[in-house]
Amino acid sequence: MKAVLLTQIGKLEVKEIPTPKPGKDELVIKMLACGICGTDRHILLGEHPAAMPLVLGHEFGGEVTAVGEGVDFKVGDLVSVDPNIVCGKCDHCLAKRTAHCRNLAALGVTLNGGFAEYVLLPKSQAYLVPKNLNPLYLGLVEPLACCIRGMDLAEVKAGDRVAVLGGGSMGMLIVQLVKLAGASEIILITRQKQRREIAMKLGATSTIDPIAEDVTKVLKDIDVSFEVAGVSQTFQQACAITRSGGKVLVLGVAPSHETVQFSVYDLLIRGLKIIGSYINPYTQGRAAELISSGKLNLDLIISKTVSLDELPAVLAASPGQGDIKYIVTGDK
């Protein structure tokens, strides 16, 4: 089968590798959609730890093509995949802090993932979705699961004023989730005009161009700020615009070496709650159900489909102006 492998930092190669066969409690799927994530670019650049050689891609799903002993899924089922595999035995897992499992493994990070024609996975990681679901949406279930986890921690209430700093796919999903939660104001902050226009169509009540305006002067007393860009500047802006006692939810994945400075005194006096939200514990199934419900507009988020052959060049480059989400398919 065809797969895209990270063979060394900065190098992706399209290669033919053996098609996997399922063992006990395993299944194989034909990859129908795998989202390109900022984390994939961080891994490519050596800014996020990963195994090598490795098939990248952790936002994916597809059609079941083979099942091993003990698997209830059937050939032909459509499934989304939770890439994060926890041990269930360490102290964090036993305390239901599975995002911090001491033995965490992840498809597309430590194990071969979704940038391939076929993918092997444990049955525990597959979630059934309706067969009539647009298969491209399978590339958005995992990022939505991460956003739902962030929403759980943020506890957005009806009437809250919410700022979303970052106009990528997670920013656009958060805009829709906080709208469903009843936020009275939803302000999307991003430099790209096309993304600001899309955010307004998805439920934002206003947008800000941080190049044209000083975000920290325009916005004050935000109840909840979501940092989804993974940039130190937007994190600092999020802290500055959030009211005393408010929450800053950090969802964006920054490079592992990046640090920020802020006033500990200010943090103390203002009682600011800064919360990191990592991966998707207990939310993959909810995300699959929400996408299946049709309550979210996903078509405006998907900017382009990409073949496996095209992937190395696309992943090595920055997204096109105004583009939001690229989905890799095995069809081209």
Side-chain angles (χ1 to χ4, degrees):
M1 70 170 186
K2 184 181 295 184
V4 180
L5 276 82
L6 176 70
T7 54
Q8 62 186 59
I9 296 302
K11 188 173 184 180
L12 287 173
E13 297 183 60
V14 180
K15 291 194 171 188
E16 288 290 328
I17 64 174
T19 302
K21 296 181 180 179
K24 186 176 185 298
D25 295 329
E26 293 179 330
L27 62 149
V28 172
I29 66 169
K30 178 183 179 182
M31 185 275 290
L32 297 179
C34 186
I36 297 177
C37 175
T39 300
D40 295 317
R41 288 191 171 89
H42 287 314
I43 292 173
L44 177 62
L45 296 172
E47 298 172 342
H48 189 287
M52 286 184 287
L54 176 75
V55 178
L56 292 178
H58 58 275
E59 303 176 347
F60 67 99
E63 181 182 345
V64 177
T65 58
V67 297
E69 179 187 350
V71 175
D72 294 331
F73 293 100
K74 301 178 181 64
V75 171
D77 282 345
L78 199 64
V79 298
S80 78
V81 177
D82 177 356
N84 301 300
I85 304 169
V86 302
C87 72
K89 299 176 181 179
C90 70
D91 54 337
H92 286 307
C93 284
L94 293 176
K96 298 187 176 181
R97 299 187 298 265
T98 54
H100 310 293
C101 171
R102 296 187 187 277
N103 304 296
L104 182 68
L107 300 165
V109 182
T110 61
L111 302 168
N112 283 343
F115 291 152
E117 291 182 290
Y118 296 90
V119 189
L120 176 71
L121 56 133
K123 68 177 183 179
S124 59
Q125 306 310 115
Y127 289 80
L128 192 67
V129 299
K131 287 188 177 182
N132 62 354
L133 186 76
N134 182 338
L136 293 181
Y137 295 171
L138 293 170
L140 287 166
V141 180
E142 191 273 347
L144 177 62
C146 294
C147 290
I148 291 174
R149 168 64 170 168
M151 288 289 293
D152 287 349
L153 295 172
E155 300 177 313
V156 174
K157 301 183 296 298
D160 276 352
R161 300 179 68 228
V162 176
V164 182
L165 295 92
S169 56
M170 293 186 75
M172 298 302 179
L173 291 170
I174 288 290
V175 164
Q176 297 183 72
L177 292 176
V178 296
K179 180 182 179 182
L180 290 174
S184 62
E185 287 186 62
I186 307 168
I187 306 105
L188 189 284
I189 302 155
T190 187
R191 295 173 294 177
Q192 298 190 32
K193 179 182 179 182
Q194 297 96 321
R195 292 184 174 188
R196 295 196 301 272
E197 292 172 346
I198 290 173
M200 292 298 292
K201 294 177 181 178
L202 294 177
T205 58
S206 63
T207 63
I208 294 175
D209 176 358
I211 300 299
E213 299 181 90
D214 185 333
V215 174
T216 61
K217 291 182 178 178
V218 174
L219 291 182
K220 301 289 182 185
D221 294 327
I222 296 296
D223 295 301
V224 182
S225 293
F226 288 88
E227 196 293 310
V228 291
V231 178
S232 58
Q233 182 182 15
T234 51
F235 170 77
Q236 291 172 317
Q237 289 171 340
C239 292
I241 65 177
T242 302
R243 66 167 172 80
S244 295
K247 294 179 181 177
V248 175
L249 222 297
V250 182
L251 278 168
V253 179
S256 57
H257 62 267
E258 191 158 334
T259 60
V260 297
Q261 289 185 327
F262 59 88
S263 168
V264 176
Y265 177 83
D266 184 62
L267 179 67
L268 170 69
I269 296 301
R270 293 174 57 210
L272 202 61
K273 301 176 182 67
I274 300 174
I275 306 171
S277 180
Y278 183 54
I279 63 175
N280 58 341
Y282 309 112
T283 55
Q284 185 79 13
R286 290 164 60 192
E289 290 175 4
L290 182 55
I291 283 182
S292 300
S293 75
K295 292 181 180 179
L296 301 178
N297 186 333
L298 303 179
D299 293 332
L300 288 178
I301 296 176
I302 299 172
S303 305
K304 182 190 297 184
T305 58
V306 177
S307 70
L308 290 170
D309 289 319
E310 296 167 327
L311 176 60
V314 171
L315 192 56
S318 299
Q321 184 70 20
D323 287 348
I324 299 173
K325 193 68 174 180
Y326 293 167
I327 303 288
V328 178
T329 70
D331 297 332
K332 294 182 180 179

